[in-house]
Amino acid sequence: MKKVLSVLVSAVFFLSAFLAVPPVRASAAEFAVDFAAESKSLYLENLDTGIVVYAKEPEARRYPASTTKIMTYIVTAENVKDFKNTFVKIKAKTLKLLEGTGSSVAGLEEGESLSIYQLLNCLMIPSGNDAALVLADYVGNGSIQTFVDMMNEKAEELGCTGTHFSNPHGLNDPNHYTTVSDMAKITKYALQMPMFEEISNTTYSECLGEDRYLITTNSMIDQTRGGSYYYEYAKGIKTGSTGNDSGYCLVSTAEKDGFSYLCIAYGAKYEDEETGEYYENGAMIDSKNLYEWAFDNLEMKTIIDKKDIVKEIGLKYAWNRDTIQLSPKESYSTILPSDVQMSSIDREYSLPESIEAPVKAGDKVGTVTLSYAGKELGTVELVVSETVERSELLIVMNAVRNMVTSVWFIIAVGIIILFFLGYIVLVALYNRKKRNRRPVKKYRKF
């Protein structure tokens, strides 16, 4: 009987140990302006932050007219190393391509040799279509189409999805179009090109000689001839118009009080088809109004500071504490209207309910997404604000607690109790049977 009970108890303990271990299983802000914009597409980006603060039909395809020449400049600059010492002889056949177009020219003459620097000035200042063709012919090794292909390859490389060029000057073609958002990408890239800012912001040049001066078509930067369009904070970049097909177009930048903006205006009214009267240049008016609105109403605001404690979550296995504080990994600032209160900034947290010690100050835990008026501003990483060591005693205590409260442990204990009760019953039955087998005493009769 003892051997039977011993085997029975051993089996119970083995079974309980097995059952106590669970099975292993594989385990971005645009704001309302205070004026009626006339341009069909309009775009304003803060160059200091890359934030688009206003956009009207930014993905609509428009004829870019002579703002095309910004890409012409890029392709030329990337394929000519020395602007001032590389000379090009003007071909008669190249100039003849513009006959009958009535387009703007810089007055290049057949047979003369001009430097790339001079041709780029002719391209950007008076918007010379002749200069555009000469540059395209030279860089394309005698093939203007090759140059145009290079323009389209560059546009694709810059991430432009609504752009296709058919020529280097911008004269209308059904397959020659872009969007203001694409032109923003192109212009920001162009601003990195050698001498681009200098040339595109020049109002008067004698680079061809004193008797062949170049005058800008951009009234916004021309204090002498710009009239009411002149804007003292504007810098460059390129005008454009092919009549009512494109309307007035303008790409420009402006700087004031430490802030820089890029504005692109496409498709402002050009000419009244009934009367033949020309409209005011709505692209310049819209651009100036946008700049003034931005400088007067927007400012840089720190939305969240890396020194701030922004959230608290649970902390496991740390002695004498059960929470830990979180801070932003980096401060986050953005452009917002001046009257915006921080209480109106929405915060959406992506965090676990708790984490386990040990943790080190700076460990990433989650993120917070910041929004204003339904527009996402940005996402900031959140990190723990201090280092906390792990308590091994709490680990052991927790392991024990988890074990004794697990379903498997409870089942095992239940089985043990059942076996124990069974053992008691067996012992009782065995003792009772033993008593019944005792011999009966015989008493002697007297």
Side-chain angles (χ1 to χ4, degrees), residues 281-343:
N281 192 320
M284 292 191 182
I285 294 172
D286 286 345
S287 298
K288 185 176 181 179
N289 285 337
L290 260 186
Y291 286 135
E292 287 293 278
W293 165 79
F295 290 134
D296 291 346
N297 295 283
L298 303 180
E299 66 180 38
M300 187 73 72
K301 290 179 178 285
T302 298
I303 308 302
I304 194 167
D305 194 291
K306 65 180 180 180
K307 297 178 182 178
D308 295 340
I309 301 299
V310 298
K311 201 71 173 174
E312 191 173 74
I313 62 172
L315 179 65
K316 297 179 179 179
Y317 310 142
W319 186 257
N320 205 29
R321 62 182 302 171
D322 55 11
T323 62
I324 193 161
Q325 296 176 326
L326 307 180
S327 299
K329 182 178 181 181
E330 298 291 344
S331 298
Y332 179 82
S333 299
T334 191
I335 296 291
L336 285 173
S338 304
D339 58 356
V340 168
Q341 302 298 315
M342 289 302 99
S343 58

Side-chain angles (χ1 to χ4, degrees), residues 20 107-108 336 391 427-428 431:
L108 304 186
L336 285 173
S391 171
V427 170
N431 289 334

Side-chain angles (χ1 to χ4, degrees), residues 69 95 98 101-108 122 126-131 214:
K69 296 181 173 85
L95 298 179
L98 292 173
T101 63
S103 58
S104 60
V105 294
L108 304 186
C122 292
S127 196
N129 288 354
D130 47 358
L214 307 174

Side-chain angles (χ1 to χ4, degrees), residues 1-8 422-423 425-430:
M1 184 64 185
K2 288 182 179 180
K3 290 183 179 181
V4 174
L5 290 175
S6 177
V7 172
L8 193 60
Y423 169 73
V425 171
L426 288 173
V427 170
L429 291 174
Y430 175 77

